[in-house]
Amino acid sequence: MKIELLNRLVMFFALFLAQVLILNHVHLLGVGTPLLYVYFAITFRRNFPKWLVLVSCFLLGLLIDVFSSTPGLAASVMTLVALAQTYLVKLLAPRDSAEDLEASAKALGAGKFATLCLLLTSLYCLVFFALEAFNFFDVLLWLARSVVSTVLTMVLILAIESVRSR
């Protein structure tokens, strides 16, 4: 468990630094920004303490908020995604799987992992950009930002996971 906590801590800071220093400055088509730090919430093991999942995702979101000038947005939506992740992994995992199943392409299979990533990334982007705009006056811009950001984030997550699972 100590090694896993150390790995999670390294992942926490690596994703934080990548997002703040590099990915916040990438804007595809003027609307899409990859939000790679959601990968942190996706990859928790099934038996990881739920309170620790929620607190660590909230803290990562809070750090992203501090350096991205989005007061409370990332923290609140990361907490929502962490909550949803615990239930979606139970739904997508095989019934006879181990209690310490890691949410990865190797453990879940590529299709189920991609489904998990798509659901959680879509949830994150839709809620994040809805709260950021705080109105639905320009629905097309909100949808464009959500879809393009989801696609960019999914491409990065699946690329990292393909390297990681080898």
Side-chain angles (χ1 to χ4, degrees), residues 79-164:
T79 306
L80 174 68
V81 168
L83 183 65
Q85 188 267 0
T86 58
Y87 295 105
L88 285 175
V89 168
K90 284 181 186 177
L91 281 173
L92 293 172
R95 294 193 189 274
D96 59 345
S97 61
E99 281 299 314
D100 63 343
L101 177 79
E102 181 183 10
S104 67
K106 186 182 250 184
L108 290 174
K112 287 187 178 181
F113 181 74
T115 302
L116 176 70
C117 289
L118 182 63
L119 290 172
L120 291 174
T121 304
S122 298
L123 173 69
Y124 185 88
C125 290
L126 287 170
V127 174
F128 182 85
F129 291 118
L131 289 175
E132 185 181 48
F134 206 65
N135 65 25
F136 291 107
F137 183 71
D138 196 357
V139 176
L140 292 179
L141 179 63
W142 169 68
L143 281 175
R145 293 179 78 188
S146 298
V147 169
V148 174
S149 294
T150 298
V151 170
L152 284 172
T153 304
M154 283 293 297
V155 167
L156 288 175
I157 287 173
L158 294 177
I160 290 171
E161 192 62 28
S162 70
V163 170
R164 188 174 163 221

Side-chain angles (χ1 to χ4, degrees), residues 19-83:
Q19 186 67 43
V20 170
L21 297 176
I22 300 166
L23 297 175
N24 277 351
H25 304 288
V26 174
H27 302 290
L28 185 66
L29 304 173
V31 293
T33 302
L35 303 168
L36 185 60
Y37 55 94
V38 75
Y39 182 62
F40 181 75
I42 293 171
T43 57
F44 276 101
R45 290 187 178 277
R46 185 167 34 174
N47 69 342
F48 215 79
K50 285 181 181 38
W51 68 270
L52 190 55
V53 173
L54 292 171
V55 169
S56 59
C57 286
F58 173 79
L59 289 175
L60 178 58
L62 192 62
L63 276 175
I64 296 292
D65 283 333
V66 168
F67 289 94
S68 300
S69 299
T70 55
L73 284 176
S76 61
V77 183
M78 277 294 285
T79 306
L80 174 68
V81 168
L83 183 65

